[in-house]
Amino acid sequence: MSNVYDRLVKLLTEGFGLEADELNPDDTFGHLEMDSLALVELTVAAEEEFGVALTNDEVGPDSTLAQAARVIEQKSVAA
């Protein structure tokens, strides 16, 4: 996977108590039992980490880790 994906996994393990070896690119945030508050916290952390703005539509309960990483990558390239 990409550097962005690896950094996203690191945010999830350090900030949300998830185990890196239990995370898969196809996992949705809902599957990981992240509620709306956790998703807001993740979005803020990702915005700070990657320097991009993210919306609820781009990172929501039905988004997979791989999809979120792709969105961040695309926004990083565009910036």
Side-chain angles (χ1 to χ4, degrees):
M1 291 291 336
S2 71
N3 179 43
V4 170
Y5 175 81
D6 293 338
R7 289 167 58 193
L8 182 60
V9 167
K10 185 175 179 183
L11 285 176
L12 290 167
T13 59
E14 291 179 354
F16 298 91
L18 299 171
E19 297 293 328
D21 59 347
E22 295 177 2
L23 298 175
N24 296 303
D26 295 330
D27 286 340
T28 64
F29 293 108
H31 173 78
L32 297 173
E33 298 182 4
M34 295 186 71
D35 62 16
S36 58
L37 179 58
L39 284 172
V40 168
E41 291 173 357
L42 175 63
T43 300
V44 170
E47 288 175 340
E48 290 174 4
E49 172 75 17
F50 299 104
V52 297
L54 299 169
T55 67
N56 294 340
D57 293 333
E58 295 168 328
V59 180
D62 296 327
S63 303
T64 67
L65 298 181
Q67 288 170 329
R70 266 194 309 277
V71 167
I72 293 167
E73 285 174 348
Q74 291 168 349
K75 288 188 168 230
S76 295
V77 171

